[in-house]
Amino acid sequence: MNGIPELGIGIGWRPEIADAVEGLSGIDWVEAVAENLCAGHLPDSLVRLRERGVTVVPHGVSLGLGGADRPDTRRLADLAERAKALGSPLVTEHIAFVRAGGPLTASATLEAGHLLPVPRTRDALRVLCENIRIAQDALPVPLAVENIAALISWPGEEMSEGQFLAELVERTGVRLLIDVANLHTNHVNRGEDPAKALDELPVEAIAYVHVAGGVERDGVWHDTHAHPVTRPVLDVLAELRARVAPPGVLLERDDNFPPASELAGELTVIRETLTIAADVSSATATATGEPAALPIVPVPSVPPVPHRPPTDATRERLALRQAALLSALVAGTPVPEGFDTRRVRVQSRALAAKRADVIAKVAPELPGILGGGYRPAFLSYAANRPMRAGYRRDALDFAEHLLIDGRPEDPVARRELTFWWQERAGSRPPRRATRLVRRARAALIGIGR
């Protein structure tokens, strides 16, 4: 493991708050969602930040390193290209799966549109280690992987989160991106002790830390990234700082963006939390004679521990388990044995709600055309119709579904939706296209009478 760069205090860069981020004082670095960037046409805001000496780290969300399949070479090449274009010292991704099915299960590939937890088993660990090694070999800079938040637990898990992460680092030499908000989420939702996880994981491998807000509803914590950071999350940050001085700490905000003054206030609270925790750690060390928190120092290169790569049978077993869970979440199939059915249904509704929110952003014309009927219509559609190929295709599929079903009932809205679909759909499979065109033509003729 090579030396981890000292990043400082940062914030997640998003187009909606680009101007605010540029105006914030004391920002040492930013993190940008990799899939939202084009290496050849970087946003002007990021270019200006880089010219000021602000480090930019690309944060991937679609590799699915915890999935049963090996990482897609095109996605890896895209991530590598973005890292080079940004001059980044490292790139980050998640310990999660985001799709399932496909050739390993002889079934259609299902997309989650979300980060889903990997079972903490030996099989899953072997697959994850090999996938991370493949990614490390394809990337021009070091990789760090993030622990995720989860509403559900896998049956038959063999390790705690801290143990799982420790073995992962030992076998691959990968760095860790520790999200303290996700540790809190897993405490509320799965009864896992954040302090125990921090005690078990190799804190010296931490590349940086995420801090984010969320909200609790009906006893379930939702890691929304759309609410202010809460005191319990800051307490976990303090727990981490008592053990190690992290090279970087970053505030994440992905929605419901507040004024710049509120973002600045949250960054101030994060800085204060780190300072107080460091002072307490030093005072405790002086009083007890125990070592204080580990300082920020370069980590010496340590060769990964050799491990047995997964067999095809191992990947197939994992693929079948992940496909069964994802099908229950996005296609309405029965919940696999051993899972908490109520929690799976809560997660399923949360995924459908997220799809509705994202579709409203990528295709804002749909809520405009459908009005108050948009959300209930989409949630009904999403209950047993998985996303096939990204959110833009999802928006087209949803519109097609409504039109084939003769909706919306209002003829003017139906005509607007028909025109919207026709402008964007392109070629379609003949049978479905013919059926839709006939319905659309009939609708237009009826409106013209």
Side-chain angles (χ1 to χ4, degrees):
M1 195 181 300
N2 299 323
I4 296 174
E6 183 173 349
L7 295 168
I9 298 296
I11 189 169
W13 182 92
R14 303 294 183 265
E16 297 89 340
I17 54 171
D19 292 342
V21 169
E22 286 190 68
L24 290 171
S25 61
I27 295 297
D28 304 304
W29 65 293
V30 299
E31 179 193 77
V33 176
E35 287 79 359
N36 293 343
L37 302 177
C38 176
H41 300 86
L42 294 176
D44 291 342
S45 173
L46 286 182
V47 173
R48 288 192 293 269
L49 286 169
R50 289 186 62 230
E51 290 173 347
R52 283 167 38 188
V54 175
T55 298
V56 182
V57 173
H59 186 52
V61 297
S62 66
L63 271 184
L65 291 171
D69 290 311
R70 291 176 176 82
D72 179 75
T73 55
R74 180 66 260 171
R75 294 179 192 275
L76 280 172
D78 288 344
L79 187 55
E81 187 180 31
R82 289 165 175 81
K84 290 178 181 177
L86 293 166
S88 304
L90 76 163
V91 298
T92 57
E93 248 289 354
H94 298 82
I95 302 170
F97 77 100
V98 297
R99 63 189 65 86
L104 284 173
T105 60
S107 63
T109 299
L110 299 174
E111 293 282 345
H114 190 69
L115 303 164
L116 295 176
V118 174
R120 297 173 196 152
T121 62
R122 297 293 173 187
D123 273 3
L125 180 61
R126 280 193 286 271
V127 171
L128 176 63
C129 285
E130 185 175 56
N131 287 352
I132 284 178
R133 286 174 180 272
I134 292 170
Q136 288 171 318
D137 289 343
L139 295 170
V141 292
L143 170 68
V145 290
E146 179 180 357
N147 60 303
I148 71 162
L151 293 175
I152 53 180
S153 299
W154 284 82
E157 292 194 317
E158 299 164 350
M159 289 170 274
S160 67
E161 181 161 37
Q163 292 168 340
F164 192 82
L165 294 177
E167 286 213 30
L168 177 65
V169 170
E170 182 181 23
R171 293 185 183 197
T172 65
V174 74
R175 292 159 171 74
L176 297 176
L177 192 181
I178 294 300
D179 190 315
V180 293
N182 291 348
L183 291 178
H184 172 67
T185 301
N186 293 342
H187 171 63
V188 175
N189 294 347
R190 311 203 296 188
E192 298 175 352
D193 183 3
K196 181 174 182 289
L198 291 172
D199 285 339
E200 292 176 338
L201 64 84
V203 293
E204 70 278 3
I206 294 176
Y208 62 88
V209 175
H210 273 173
V211 183
V215 64
E216 187 170 347
R217 300 190 192 99
D218 301 324
V220 173
W221 186 266
H222 296 269
D223 179 45
T224 63
H225 292 194
H227 294 81
V229 177
T230 62
R231 175 47 54 185
V233 171
L234 293 170
D235 289 343
V236 180
L237 177 63
E239 284 274 2
L240 185 148
R241 180 60 186 86
R243 292 162 173 77
V244 70
V249 178
L250 180 126
L251 171 65
E252 282 191 297
R253 190 68 176 244
D254 293 329
D255 206 351
N256 192 25
F257 298 103
S261 58
E262 290 186 26
L263 293 174
E266 290 203 274
L267 287 166
T268 296
V269 171
I270 288 171
R271 291 188 183 94
E272 292 173 349
T273 299
L274 292 168
T275 299
I276 293 171
D279 291 345
V280 170
S281 177
S282 296
T284 301
T286 300
T288 63
E290 296 292 329
L294 295 170
I296 302 174
V297 295
V299 178
S301 178
V302 177
V305 175
H307 75 290
R308 179 166 55 90
T311 63
D312 290 343
T314 301
R315 286 188 178 273
E316 288 172 6
R317 285 196 300 271
L318 181 61
L320 289 169
R321 295 189 73 194
Q322 290 181 337
L325 174 59
L326 185 51
S327 182
L329 289 170
V330 302
T333 58
V335 176
E337 184 178 354
F339 283 94
D340 184 321
T341 300
R342 185 185 71 86
R343 286 297 179 92
V344 171
R345 294 309 179 209
V346 170
Q347 178 73 84
S348 179
R349 291 193 294 271
L351 291 180
K354 179 181 178 180
R355 279 174 71 185
D357 291 341
V358 176
I359 293 300
K361 289 182 177 180
V362 302
E365 300 88 352
L366 293 180
I369 293 170
L370 301 173
Y374 163 74
R375 195 169 187 84
F378 187 88
L379 294 179
S380 174
Y381 159 80
N384 55 12
R385 292 175 181 83
M387 182 167 58
R388 296 191 301 140
Y391 287 108
R392 284 182 171 78
R393 172 53 60 187
D394 204 21
L396 289 170
D397 288 347
F398 169 57
E400 177 180 310
H401 165 75
L402 291 181
L403 291 170
I404 289 175
D405 203 36
R407 293 184 289 163
E409 294 182 1
D410 176 63
V412 175
R414 191 161 66 250
R415 180 172 61 182
E416 290 181 10
L417 186 61
T418 300
F419 287 152
W420 181 89
W421 182 88
Q422 288 177 329
E423 288 175 355
R424 294 162 177 80
S427 61
R428 303 289 290 169
R431 289 185 181 179
R432 297 181 74 191
T434 300
R435 184 170 46 160
L436 177 59
V437 168
R438 286 173 181 169
R439 289 222 182 221
R441 187 178 294 133
L444 291 171
I445 292 172
I447 292 169
R449 288 177 178 169

